Amino acid sequence: MDDNVTTFPDAPQPDPKQIKARTSVLKQGWRFAVLNLKMITMVNKGHH
């Protein structure tokens, strides 16, 4: 039976620093908060 898995050998792989940043709950929480503040600012500018 064939696995229908496609691999991309030429695709760039994340380095250890990127992997750590992607799996860090604290880092992701910070990025989430900053994104939300940007969205709130954009919405408030449209409601004047």
Side-chain angles (χ1 to χ4, degrees):
M1 187 178 265
D2 288 331
D3 284 335
N4 291 332
V5 177
T6 304
T7 59
F8 299 96
D10 297 331
Q13 297 296 314
D15 60 8
K17 184 178 176 183
Q18 288 175 331
I19 293 172
K20 186 174 181 177
R22 291 177 186 181
T23 58
S24 169
V25 175
L26 188 61
K27 175 95 173 175
Q28 291 298 315
W30 172 251
R31 293 183 68 207
F32 179 75
V34 170
L35 179 64
N36 283 331
L37 287 173
K38 287 180 181 181
M39 286 190 289
I40 290 169
T41 303
M42 182 175 62
V43 168
N44 285 337
K45 284 183 179 180
H47 286 290
H48 56 77

